[in-house]
Amino acid sequence: MTKAVGGDAPVRIVSLVTQKGGTGKSSLAVSLAVAAAESGLKAVVLDIDPQGTAEEWYKRRTAEAPAVHSISWANLSSRLYRVSQQGYDLAIIDTPGADGHAASEAMKEAHFCLLPVRPSFADIEASKVTVRYLSDQAKPFAFLLNQCPTGGRTSRTSNARMALQLLGRLCGSTLAHRSDHVDALASGLGVTEFNPHGKAADEVRAVLQWLTARLRKLDAIETADDEAETIPLRAVV
């Protein structure tokens, strides 16, 4: 995928999708993009949420990178083609909480989907529709526990972790419910810019590291599949 992700492969597309609003998708999208830019990646956020939270964040921002483009979901495919021609390493798609067409398009276009969920029964139940769609499409995905109680792993977080592991892959890092996320969003900053040495910044970097490692694995699998297709039949009989 990139310098940090590995190789000269084209842009990798990550969609943040959930059926519920308020799970922190927009805050996560911009902070991941900022952290990616800090690590040397050329990142862009494509905001297809009509609320335009990421777009409004960018208007409050003084730095140009990472770029944020607010577009209709119907134009997502064509914009991703343009992004792929502009040397981007990572495209993060921020989606609305309850729009079947927009979410479906984002999931279809993604190489990998990240599902932010809070450690609550309602969020976990609401995710099942998304998981069913992703599973039917054989689309790689993982849950990300977000807005968890601070002060270490609580029983609520542990129970949510166990429930999500039954539904699919779970990101190895979690994000706690910290004020730095809210304050950074209001300031037009990523959380790693707002408080570089804070716990929230460390958690976002850990999520990015996990995500880029996962993308590297997917690249390796794709490469192995392509090479296997080129092996002459006589070599495998």
Side-chain angles (χ1 to χ4, degrees), residues 19-226:
Q19 289 294 315
K20 287 182 68 63
T23 57
K25 290 192 301 295
S26 298
S27 176
L28 176 62
V30 297
S31 279
L32 279 177
V34 167
E38 291 174 339
S39 75
L41 304 179
K42 186 177 181 182
V44 60
V45 175
L46 300 181
D47 186 359
I48 63 171
D49 184 350
Q51 290 186 356
T53 302
E55 180 189 26
E56 292 302 317
W57 170 86
Y58 192 66
K59 291 178 181 178
R60 296 189 292 272
R61 187 168 174 77
T62 56
E64 292 187 3
V68 175
H69 301 297
S70 180
I71 59 173
S72 166
W73 66 267
N75 298 325
L76 180 60
S77 182
S78 60
R79 179 54 66 96
L80 284 169
Y81 175 78
R82 288 169 56 187
V83 163
S84 71
Q85 302 301 304
Q86 294 169 341
Y88 282 96
D89 301 309
L90 178 64
I92 299 174
I93 304 175
D94 184 22
T95 67
D99 186 323
H101 293 298
S104 295
E105 188 69 10
M107 289 186 282
K108 183 184 77 173
E109 294 289 346
H111 295 103
F112 189 81
C113 292
L114 201 56
L115 282 59
V117 293
R118 294 166 294 193
S120 73
F121 179 79
D123 276 28
I124 294 171
E125 284 294 305
S127 71
K128 291 182 178 179
V129 175
T130 305
V131 170
R132 191 176 305 117
Y133 178 89
L134 292 169
S135 298
D136 289 344
Q137 301 298 316
K139 184 71 67 174
F141 74 93
F143 292 103
L144 170 64
L145 273 171
N146 193 20
Q147 300 179 9
C148 298
T150 57
R153 188 174 296 179
T154 65
S155 59
R156 179 149 56 98
T157 302
S158 297
N159 291 339
R161 177 180 289 274
M162 288 187 290
L164 292 173
Q165 285 173 334
L166 294 175
L167 291 174
R169 181 181 295 274
L170 182 64
C171 176
S173 300
T174 60
L175 298 177
H177 191 26
R178 303 187 191 280
S179 61
D180 279 358
H181 292 286
V182 177
D183 295 337
L185 192 69
S187 302
L189 299 171
V191 73
T192 54
E193 297 171 314
F194 180 79
N195 186 1
H197 305 294
K199 291 182 178 180
D202 289 343
E203 290 167 355
V204 166
R205 292 189 192 102
V207 171
L208 178 66
Q209 185 177 19
W210 183 92
L211 179 60
T212 53
R214 184 62 189 156
L215 291 170
R216 279 198 300 270
K217 290 181 180 178
L218 291 176
D219 283 345
I221 292 171
E222 289 178 5
T223 300
D225 288 344
D226 290 343

